[in-house]
Amino acid sequence: FKLTTVEEMEAATNRLLETGAKVGADAWQIRVKNQTPHCKFGEQGICCRICAMGPCRITPKAPRGICGCDAHGIVGRNYLKFTAGGAATHSDHGREICHTLYAADPNGAYKVKDPDKLIRIAKEWGVETEGKDIYDLAHEMAELALMEYGKPFGVQRWLKRAPEHTQKLWHDAEIEPRAIDREVATSLHMTHMGCSSKPEALVRQSLRAGLADGWGGSMCGTEFSDVLFGTPKPIDTEANLGVMNAENVNIVVHGHDPSLSEMVCEYADDPEMIAYAKSMGAKGITVSGVCCTSNEVAMRRGIPMAGNFLQQENVVLTGACEAIVVDVQCIFPALGPLSKCFHTKFITTSPIAQMPDSDYIRFDVGTAAEKAKQIVKTACENFKNRKPELVYIPDMKQKATVGYSLEALVKVLDGVTNSQVDVTGTTKPLLECVTSGVIRGAVAMVGCNNPKVRPDTAHIEMMKKLIANDIVVVASGCSAQAAAKAGLMDKAAKDLCGAGLKRVCELADIPPVLHMGSCVDISRMMILVSELAKDSGLKISQLPVVGCAPEWMSEKAVSIGNYVVATGIDTFLGVDPYVSGSSEMGEWLTNGVRDWVEAAYTVETDIDKLCDKMIERIEEKRTAIGI
Ligand code: NFS
Ligand code: SF4
């Protein structure tokens, strides 16, 4: 067993960029150079353009904008706007899933695949389930969930899943999220010209908007995706560009909403479509994924992962991609012009993400089957347009076992206990591993790639160090894909662990880095820590658990950071969220918020140091509770 190194991945990328150069393609590696150095004002968050008296930028000579706002107010508002963008995005994805659930039909494209989970959630929400048709229940629950986005009174239903102590902290700090859309709208209201310029208030609302995402919109996204498409269970798959198949029609799904990718996978598997692909000269159809939608279909169907965020152009550069089918979020507009250099069809599907140089096949729940079929057919028909001289798929892939939803995790860890008591169905076996010191703690590795960090290096190097130190890693989003591409989600990676974690991996038959899903699935991690706290009688903030986004880039990632911190988990960032221009904002985020939620941020761009600080924090937490 051997990990794939970042150097090997970079060599493969360079080879693909040569193809790109041949056909005159642009690439992010080139555009980064054109954009560097970045604007210093923007970098420090001290540029304001929220009113037309500006834009104003803060310098020693001009310490205030025209309205009199200082650096702290400007940085604070920018930070809150950034968060609101992320909360809106995740939550709107969640909303789409609720609409899909509302359209679920036993004879239609979307079915209820996990009725037990639906009933469990209905009971949690106090909805009568007895004698009710499962589809009636689905529609009722979907409507209730949609109400969470705009209800005039009260706070998010999902908050009740948190330990009482956490709920009290949220209540006392006045950061319990009300209606999801309201927290986004309030954030935009607060950041309007002439509203809030006090960092404390802006940070408080940032946490609240984040919580509306993680304990609102994202949780709807995760939970109801499970109801519709099945709750993930451990499943084998493969990762990296080598999963594409030169002899087959290659369809790459990219984006976030499983409503689209599930249907594309469904039809790509249809014998009629496979026969059609053969009639076009291919041997079959290979669907692979990029970004979070890839995580979704990998977790539920074992669909291979072609790569993560900064690898999206690479799939086209293979010259073997018949169609890259996208829905929303994290899609490079670059894919339009890039696809024009090849035979690739760049198919956009969502009114929310429309891009030049794409074929727009509008996808909606009502016509899902028909449109998915059309997309697969288009890809098959495009096979004959391939230019064989441009085809090069790097022979690079790793095995991965994915699909560790909370339900699955609890199940696999049940076997790993010395305890004589019956602990089935709780997190107690995991707690026992942690308290005995066999596992020192856990790190939630999440987030994107960012050219500011050598892509994937931070994810991979940190994970290697953590597991060698007997710290188990749960991963999601593009971090999870970095792990899978390197081989860290292969069960054989247990050999890279310390003795304790290795033993646990053997007993539970798991890899040391556990794939918990897409970025909306970070809500799974929130439920996991909540269960750990309840089962141990500790506060979430006392658990030897931290969060880390070493290569993050998106607004969504900041929203996530805010809800992870607000849930009581110290969070470590490898990229600064444009706050260095304000000492006060820095102080609030890295220290001040601790008074409200018992956790805070650490920002450290030196990745080695970042990792050491996490390990240190985990050990501090262990000492503090006497384990
Ligand atoms: Ni998350 Fe998913 Fe990846 Fe970053 Fe984008 S795909 S929602 S934002 S880039 S991890
Ligand atoms: Fe300038 Fe104030 Fe307007 Fe911002 S709100 S652009 S700081 S005048």
Side-chain angles (χ1 to χ4, degrees):
F1 171 73
K2 193 186 151 295
L3 290 181
T4 303
T5 65
V6 171
E7 286 73 18
E8 286 165 331
M9 292 188 217
E10 283 171 347
T13 299
N14 289 337
R15 170 67 181 78
L16 291 170
L17 289 173
E18 280 170 27
T19 316
K22 247 186 254 167
V23 296
D26 195 11
W28 67 259
Q29 289 86 345
I30 301 165
R31 295 188 298 271
V32 162
K33 290 198 183 110
N34 299 340
Q35 288 293 344
T36 316
H38 296 279
C39 166
K40 285 275 171 272
F41 297 99
E43 236 169 22
Q44 295 172 41
I46 48 175
C47 169
C48 183
R49 37 151 298 176
I50 64 171
C51 95
M53 295 193 285
C56 300
R57 7 183 240 187
I58 301 302
T59 65
K61 259 175 124 181
R64 288 179 187 269
I66 292 172
C67 66
C69 192
D70 63 9
H72 310 299
I74 292 177
V75 171
R77 288 193 303 225
N78 286 340
Y79 184 80
L80 177 52
K81 267 184 190 291
F82 215 95
T83 305
T89 305
H90 271 151
S91 299
D92 211 32
H93 163 172
R95 178 188 345 245
E96 293 292 332
I97 296 295
C98 296
H99 278 293
T100 306
L101 184 66
Y102 190 75
D105 178 344
N107 306 310
Y110 297 104
K111 314 239 175 4
V112 171
K113 284 208 185 142
D114 192 342
D116 294 341
K117 184 154 188 170
L118 179 64
I119 291 169
R120 230 163 49 230
I121 301 169
K123 288 194 171 139
E124 201 183 315
W125 284 10
V127 172
E128 184 56 56
T129 58
E130 218 51 57
K132 213 174 262 173
D133 176 78
I134 199 73
Y135 283 85
D136 289 341
L137 183 63
H139 303 151
E140 188 178 342
M141 289 297 290
E143 203 168 338
L144 279 178
L146 286 164
M147 291 302 177
E148 289 299 291
Y149 285 79
K151 62 183 186 187
F153 307 108
V155 296
Q156 286 302 298
R157 288 172 180 271
W158 298 117
L159 303 188
K160 293 255 178 316
R161 290 182 162 189
E164 301 251 336
H165 173 74
T166 309
Q167 293 185 50
K168 184 165 184 311
L169 288 177
W170 292 338
H171 183 77
D172 293 347
E174 274 190 66
I175 55 171
E176 289 165 301
R178 300 155 295 179
I180 298 161
D181 290 348
R182 179 174 183 181
E183 298 309 350
V184 174
T186 297
S187 301
L188 295 183
H189 186 174
M190 285 179 76
T191 55
H192 189 274
M193 191 275 149
C195 277
S196 291
S197 51
K198 192 170 154 186
E200 175 182 346
L202 293 161
V203 169
R204 211 185 279 274
Q205 180 60 20
S206 299
L207 298 185
R208 198 174 204 176
L211 286 170
D213 169 357
W215 289 84
S218 276
M219 210 167 274
C220 286
T222 297
E223 295 297 83
F224 296 120
S225 289
D226 284 358
V227 168
L228 280 164
F229 307 118
T231 304
K233 298 195 269 291
I235 186 167
D236 291 335
T237 185
E238 290 175 330
N240 221 338
L241 289 167
V243 303
M244 294 174 73
N245 184 331
E247 294 179 325
N248 286 358
V249 170
N250 286 295
I251 302 177
V252 177
V253 288
H254 176 13
H256 286 79
D257 184 342
S259 305
L260 169 72
S261 49
E262 279 284 330
M263 281 302 126
V264 171
C265 292
E266 193 77 38
Y267 281 94
D269 224 15
D270 183 355
E272 191 194 323
M273 284 294 128
I274 295 169
Y276 193 61
K278 286 183 178 157
S279 76
M280 296 289 150
K283 290 224 163 113
I285 303 175
T286 298
V287 182
S288 60
V290 172
C291 282
C292 280
T293 215
S294 170
N295 290 319
E296 300 272 1
V297 287
M299 295 255 288
R300 297 200 178 89
R301 290 175 178 264
I303 297 290
M305 302 181 268
N308 49 358
F309 181 60
L310 283 181
Q311 205 158 311
Q312 59 183 288
E313 288 169 304
N314 290 15
V315 299
V316 178
L317 288 167
T318 61
C321 174
E322 273 57 56
I324 179 159
V325 188
V326 307
D327 47 47
V328 290
Q329 304 167 26
C330 303
I331 301 143
F332 272 7
L335 293 177
L338 177 62
S339 64
K340 292 282 169 279
C341 299
F342 293 87
H343 75 303
T344 306
K345 295 260 184 218
F346 175 40
I347 302 177
T348 48
T349 61
S350 167
I352 292 171
Q354 304 186 46
M355 296 192 191
D357 296 317
S358 68
D359 292 0
Y360 183 47
I361 301 181
R362 185 168 173 169
F363 187 86
D364 50 57
V365 276
T367 56
E370 179 194 315
K371 295 293 175 69
K373 208 167 168 181
Q374 185 190 346
I375 290 167
V376 175
K377 257 182 117 175
T378 306
C380 292
E381 285 156 9
N382 198 24
F383 184 78
K384 61 178 183 304
N385 297 324
R386 234 190 230 187
K387 300 184 185 95
E389 70 280 11
L390 294 180
V391 173
Y392 170 74
I393 300 174
D395 179 22
M396 185 174 277
K397 61 180 175 186
Q398 286 279 5
K399 280 193 238 158
T401 304
V402 301
Y404 294 96
S405 58
L406 177 61
E407 290 86 336
L409 204 56
V410 165
K411 208 164 168 196
V412 293
L413 287 169
D414 243 357
V416 195
T417 177
N418 305 316
S419 168
Q420 298 308 307
V421 288
D422 176 23
V423 289
T424 310
T426 72
T427 62
K428 284 190 178 145
L430 179 56
L431 280 167
E432 225 177 69
C433 296
V434 175
T435 44
S436 65
V438 173
I439 296 179
R440 304 301 294 172
V443 175
M445 292 283 291
V446 308
C448 331
N449 300 127
N450 185 326
K452 288 180 184 166
V453 182
R454 188 179 176 188
D456 292 337
T457 320
H459 292 300
I460 295 168
E461 292 309 316
M462 290 173 100
M463 287 179 193
K464 276 160 57 182
K465 187 157 182 181
L466 293 169
I467 63 175
N469 280 283
D470 287 324
I471 294 168
V472 66
V473 175
V474 292
S476 68
C478 291
S479 182
Q481 292 178 319
K485 286 194 299 177
L488 288 163
M489 288 179 172
D490 187 329
K491 287 176 186 168
K494 69 176 179 357
D495 291 337
L496 306 171
C497 300
L501 181 56
K502 182 175 176 181
R503 185 90 190 105
V504 174
C505 288
E506 279 166 354
L507 285 171
D509 192 27
I510 53 172
V513 178
L514 297 163
H515 195 308
M516 277 196 104
S518 64
C519 290
V520 292
D521 291 340
I522 295 169
S523 57
R524 296 188 200 278
M525 299 177 184
M526 298 304 100
I527 308 171
L528 171 62
V529 290
S530 295
E531 292 305 306
L532 285 167
K534 289 182 207 163
D535 289 341
S536 66
L538 293 167
K539 298 171 185 169
I540 291 179
S541 60
Q542 291 177 305
L543 300 169
V545 172
V546 300
C548 179
E551 306 183 21
W552 74 273
M553 62 87 207
S554 73
E555 292 174 313
K556 290 178 286 177
V558 173
S559 177
I560 291 169
N562 286 336
Y563 75 70
V564 174
V565 166
T567 301
I569 302 166
D570 284 325
T571 297
F572 293 73
L573 303 179
V575 177
D576 170 56
Y578 300 148
V579 295
S580 64
S582 161
S583 53
E584 285 183 25
M585 277 299 291
E587 170 61 22
W588 272 110
L589 294 174
T590 59
N591 195 24
V593 292
R594 204 174 281 285
D595 286 345
W596 305 334
V597 293
E598 302 174 348
Y601 283 107
T602 299
V603 182
E604 173 59 71
T605 52
D606 180 324
I607 294 305
D608 266 347
K609 284 192 194 147
L610 187 70
C611 195
D612 291 342
K613 283 182 182 177
M614 289 202 297
I615 297 175
E616 228 169 82
R617 189 66 51 86
I618 284 173
E619 292 300 331
E620 272 168 28
K621 285 184 185 279
R622 294 189 63 94
T623 310
I625 54 172
I627 56 169

